[in-house]
Amino acid sequence: GENVEQHPSTLSVQEGDSAVIKCTYSDSASNYFPWYKQELGKRPQLIIDIRSNVGEKKDQRIAVTLNKTAKHFSLHITETQPEDSAVYFCAARAFISNFGNEKLTFGTGTRLTIIP
Amino acid sequence: EAQVTQNPRYLITVTGKKLTVTCSQNMNHEYMSWYRQDPGLGLRQIYYSMNVEVTDKGDVPEGYKVSRKEKRNFPLILESPSPNQTSLYFCASSPLGVQGFTDTQYFGPGTRLTVL
């Protein structure tokens, strides 16, 4: 089955600097890679996603890059702000049968702390 | 308001006492899933359902049951809870796109379960 590794597990960044979180996946057939943000005590919420036919996607201060050959994808947050402090999860979607069954496998999370 | 709801939000119980955590969504989503979240392990999938009467095991199904009799509801059943099932549980739902693939997963608020 799919295996998703996420690094680092914790990351502290000075406010205004950039943060990068990296994930690798094992199943070359995976084709959808979302990133979720979970604030303390809250539910995970999608912040950005990328599909396998695209190499990069940006949404204001957030960007995601995908390298299908190397099977890794990264989240980039620029000009970090205190409200960016949260746990971030990457995920990869793989198909597990010919009947359309699919599975979203999550990484173990990165706790990002923005230092004012 | 489009949402995923879970009940109860908090539950303390004792080993062996059957319990059910309800999950309901009002977005007419075909796909629903249960995850457990434990420190350092991220979100691990317990069971998922691609549509009514269609359920399948995720990564950690042991000790859990689910049913999908109606599109909007996807209850999680612990027939005989044990302390190792103490965790934070999230239900999620997603529409299926034109190609039958899931898209953004919308999470419920979470249920914190403690089994003594």
Side-chain angles (χ1 to χ4, degrees):
Chain A
E2 175 69 280
N3 182 46
V4 178
E5 294 192 0
Q6 182 172 347
H7 299 281
S9 57
T10 60
L11 179 61
S12 294
V13 173
Q14 208 72 35
E15 182 178 353
D17 287 349
S18 296
V20 181
I21 302 170
K22 299 181 179 180
C23 288
T24 60
Y25 60 98
S26 59
D27 189 339
S28 56
S30 289
N31 64 357
Y32 173 64
F33 307 92
W35 286 88
Y36 285 81
K37 175 183 180 182
Q38 185 179 29
E39 295 175 354
L40 190 62
K42 301 279 184 66
R43 70 192 79 186
Q45 290 192 297
L46 181 78
I47 54 170
I48 196 167
D49 57 14
I50 191 167
R51 300 179 194 279
S52 58
N53 57 349
V54 175
E56 182 175 1
K57 184 176 179 181
K58 278 186 86 170
D59 182 3
Q60 299 183 340
R61 295 186 298 108
I62 297 171
V64 57
T65 59
L66 171 65
N67 183 328
K68 284 196 300 180
T69 304
K71 290 191 278 188
H72 68 70
F73 55 113
S74 300
L75 178 71
H76 305 254
I77 305 173
T78 59
E79 300 171 18
T80 53
Q81 300 168 3
E83 54 264 36
D84 294 329
S85 292
V87 177
Y88 292 81
F89 292 98
C90 65
R93 181 182 70 192
F95 295 100
I96 56 176
S97 78
N98 291 328
F99 301 101
N101 280 14
E102 52 171 86
K103 189 172 175 314
L104 193 66
T105 302
F106 285 84
T108 50
T110 296
R111 182 173 299 279
L112 175 63
T113 302
I114 307 303
I115 305 165
Chain B
E1 181 192 350
Q3 59 182 347
V4 180
T5 57
Q6 292 178 229
N7 282 293
R9 296 288 313 280
Y10 302 91
L11 180 60
I12 301 174
T13 189
V14 295
T15 299
K17 187 176 180 183
K18 181 179 178 180
L19 66 92
T20 299
V21 183
T22 65
C23 173
S24 185
Q25 51 94 5
N26 62 1
M27 296 172 279
N28 202 36
H29 287 169
E30 292 83 3
Y31 181 94
M32 297 186 75
S33 181
W34 276 103
Y35 297 92
R36 61 177 289 174
Q37 183 176 16
D38 302 288
L41 297 177
L43 290 154
R44 293 181 294 166
Q45 190 176 50
I46 303 171
Y47 269 94
Y48 67 97
S49 170
M50 298 296 289
N51 216 322
V52 176
E53 301 291 0
V54 180
T55 64
D56 211 341
K57 297 177 181 178
D59 292 318
V60 289
E62 295 77 22
Y64 305 95
K65 283 174 58 176
V66 293
S67 69
R68 187 92 184 272
K69 293 184 170 57
E70 305 164 284
K71 198 171 188 179
R72 63 183 293 128
N73 296 324
F74 190 45
L76 179 70
I77 303 155
L78 284 73
E79 295 268 3
S80 182
S82 62
N84 64 12
Q85 293 178 297
T86 292
S87 187
L88 178 59
Y89 291 86
F90 286 101
C91 179
S93 73
S94 171
L96 293 184
V98 291
Q99 293 179 307
F101 308 148
T102 60
D103 201 57
T104 305
Q105 291 205 17
Y106 296 87
F107 284 82
T111 295
R112 187 165 293 280
L113 172 66
T114 302
V115 183
L116 302 173

